[in-house]
Amino acid sequence: MAGVTSFGTLLKAGNAASPEGFTTIANLGDIDGPELATNMEDVTSHDSTSGYDEVMPDGVLGVGEISFELNYDPANATHKNSAGGVIYAWANKTKRNYQLVYSGGTWAFSGYVTKFTPKAAVRGVLKADVSIKPTGTPTLV
């Protein structure tokens, strides 16, 4: 069976005004998403002959949130509440450019950090769950 490893996947953040100068978000753990979805509209009518739901695409494609876990380091520039950190992007409602770099391809999108949830287990390392909601048209390879 053929496959491509996901180990080494990177999430990079850049300035929405400039596509250059991307910085890799440090200590990235598991990544989920984004879900690519077709929004559907119900077009079932009283004269539908099949007796089953009838649907069609509504013309708008949906891109769901990207969520990921960090080994959270409050002093790390890509994490903290200073220019460039994910907490800063959340606190300032900053739209940023992102690149999700897989083995063999890169997805590029703009988006907003929507959630940052620190987790401090009794045993283990300090972690955080982060979510980014893409906006506009992504570039999918």
Side-chain angles (χ1 to χ4, degrees):
M1 179 173 148
V4 177
T5 184
S6 62
F7 180 75
T9 298
L10 304 174
L11 180 60
K12 297 182 175 189
N15 186 315
S18 171
E20 294 80 32
F22 281 87
T23 302
T24 299
I25 297 173
N27 304 324
L28 195 62
D30 291 342
I31 306 166
D32 293 319
E35 178 182 65
L36 305 177
T38 303
N39 295 315
M40 302 299 289
E41 187 71 30
D42 185 345
V43 294
T44 310
S45 65
H46 287 289
D47 57 353
S48 294
T49 57
S50 68
Y52 288 87
D53 289 338
E54 296 177 12
V55 297
M56 64 178 283
D58 73 0
V60 179
L61 297 174
V63 180
E65 287 191 338
I66 295 166
S67 58
F68 54 93
E69 185 176 68
L70 294 174
N71 290 329
Y72 175 41
D73 177 356
N76 186 287
T78 63
H79 298 180
K80 67 183 184 177
N81 188 15
S82 64
V86 292
I87 296 174
Y88 179 89
W90 170 80
N92 291 279
K93 301 175 187 146
T94 304
K95 181 170 112 175
R96 303 203 57 202
N97 290 327
Y98 293 93
Q99 294 177 338
L100 192 52
V101 183
Y102 299 108
S103 178
T106 298
W107 288 14
F109 60 94
S110 295
Y112 296 91
V113 175
T114 59
K115 297 176 188 169
F116 186 93
T117 308
K119 301 186 299 183
V122 172
R123 290 195 171 98
V125 299
L126 185 60
K127 294 190 179 278
D129 289 328
V130 182
S131 294
I132 298 172
K133 175 61 176 154
T135 182
T137 306
T139 300
L140 308 174
V141 181

